[in-house]
Amino acid sequence: MTSAAPAIEFIGVQKRFAARGQSKEVLAATDVNFAIAPGEVVSIIGPSGCGKSTLLNMGSGLAKPSAGVVKVAGQVVEGPNKHVSFMLQKDLLMPWRTIAQNIEFGLELRGVPAAGRADVSDRLLKQCHLTGFGASYPHQLSGGMRQRAALARTLAVDPLVLLMDEPFSALDAQTKMILQQDLAQTVAQHQKTVLFITHDLFEAVALSDRILVMSERPGTIVEQIKVDLPDRDNPMARRKRAEVGPYVARLMDLLKLDAHTDMH
């Protein structure tokens, strides 16, 4: 019996960019190799400019590797595909559409009938604690509620893989922890696979099964750390565990951080 293909896999991936105003290219990431199993939550941490967001762009099909391949569910990523959804730091909700209409947008593009779209948005409004706000517009919601709506929109198309680029970094600490809890419970309930970029080391430990540590540019994976702690679906409980501190200390050592370092 063969095991299932990784949900997403990077094999010998390299990415070069043409540098503005320069004749030679910049090597952003090189020799990137890792695989994420279905249902696994994996965080990427690393210094600014090391290629973390570039990896997500390649995973989503928005950019192509200069060398190597990215696979989703065993298939080479050639362009944007229906198995992957991308959530960014900015919610990017369309201001002229209601929250329900924003959630339904991806389904609308796929030709799902109105009744089917409404069923999905109603379910996700409830699941993401937005009941009663479907008819509201983005400017009428707080930042945390807008991010909940963005998460609902990301989940609406039922992706195999969620790519998340610092989705909570602009929020205050309390709202951030609440949304981390919402995300963790939703991901566990629906067995979604997540590749998550963060600069918050406590967030990485609280949310992840595994953490990938990248080097400075050209970025490559220098270490993979398995987070052997319970309560992945309850990050607030996980944060309280004494074992979290040593994980964070190890990540700080790998990133060569001290009390005066700004990862951003």
Side-chain angles (χ1 to χ4, degrees):
M1 179 176 174
T2 59
S3 59
I8 186 167
E9 185 175 15
F10 287 69
I11 305 170
V13 168
Q14 182 184 99
K15 183 62 177 177
R16 294 179 178 273
F17 290 103
R20 184 177 299 176
Q22 297 184 25
S23 58
K24 63 179 183 179
E25 293 182 319
V26 172
L27 182 60
T30 188
D31 193 29
V32 177
N33 295 277
F34 66 89
I36 302 178
E40 189 178 17
V41 177
V42 174
S43 291
I44 303 179
I45 65 168
S48 181
C50 72
K52 300 183 295 296
S53 295
T54 298
L55 296 187
L56 264 58
N57 286 334
M58 291 187 286
S60 68
L62 296 176
K64 291 186 176 181
S66 304
V69 296
V70 181
K71 293 183 178 182
V72 171
Q75 300 297 312
V76 175
V77 175
E78 302 285 359
N81 68 83
K82 65 181 182 180
H83 298 301
V84 176
S85 283
F86 208 160
M87 184 174 173
L88 303 172
Q89 178 178 338
K90 295 182 178 179
D91 58 72
L92 299 180
L93 298 174
M94 290 171 279
W96 60 89
R97 295 178 70 114
T98 67
I99 297 304
Q101 289 168 343
N102 269 283
I103 293 170
E104 295 172 18
F105 182 66
L107 298 173
E108 189 176 327
L109 291 179
R110 295 185 181 184
V112 176
R117 299 198 305 266
D119 286 344
V120 172
S121 62
D122 286 348
R123 172 175 56 81
L124 287 170
L125 284 165
K126 181 178 180 181
Q127 182 178 313
C128 294
H129 308 290
L130 291 168
T131 300
F133 291 95
S136 300
Y137 287 86
H139 74 271
Q140 297 174 307
L141 273 60
S142 68
M145 294 173 75
R146 288 168 63 112
Q147 283 300 87
R148 281 199 178 99
L151 176 59
R153 180 185 57 191
T154 302
L155 294 169
V157 293
D158 194 25
L160 173 66
V161 179
L162 299 178
L163 302 177
M164 311 187 83
D165 194 347
E166 296 191 77
F168 308 139
S169 62
L171 302 174
D172 64 85
Q174 182 176 343
T175 302
K176 183 176 182 177
M177 285 193 287
I178 292 170
L179 265 67
Q180 289 169 353
Q181 192 83 357
D182 290 345
L183 172 66
Q185 291 174 351
T186 299
V187 166
Q189 180 181 350
H190 296 282
Q191 287 295 294
K192 296 298 182 185
T193 304
V194 180
L195 182 56
F196 189 100
I197 290 177
T198 182
H199 281 98
D200 183 336
L201 304 186
F202 284 95
E203 181 173 67
V205 176
L207 291 176
S208 307
D209 296 305
R210 188 159 43 107
I211 301 169
L212 309 181
V213 183
M214 290 189 73
S215 67
E216 293 184 351
R217 191 172 65 199
T220 191
I221 307 299
V222 293
E223 188 141 348
Q224 302 190 33
I225 296 177
K226 178 176 169 51
V227 182
D228 192 16
L229 295 174
D231 299 319
R232 196 202 73 188
D233 62 341
N234 189 351
M236 288 188 183
R238 183 181 272 195
R239 277 177 177 271
K240 297 175 183 177
R241 300 186 68 89
E243 301 96 323
V244 169
Y247 278 102
V248 171
R250 173 63 178 152
L251 295 174
M252 291 180 69
D253 287 344
L254 288 168
L255 293 169
K256 299 179 173 61
L257 298 178
D258 60 32
H260 305 290
T261 301
D262 181 1
M263 286 187 67
H264 294 275

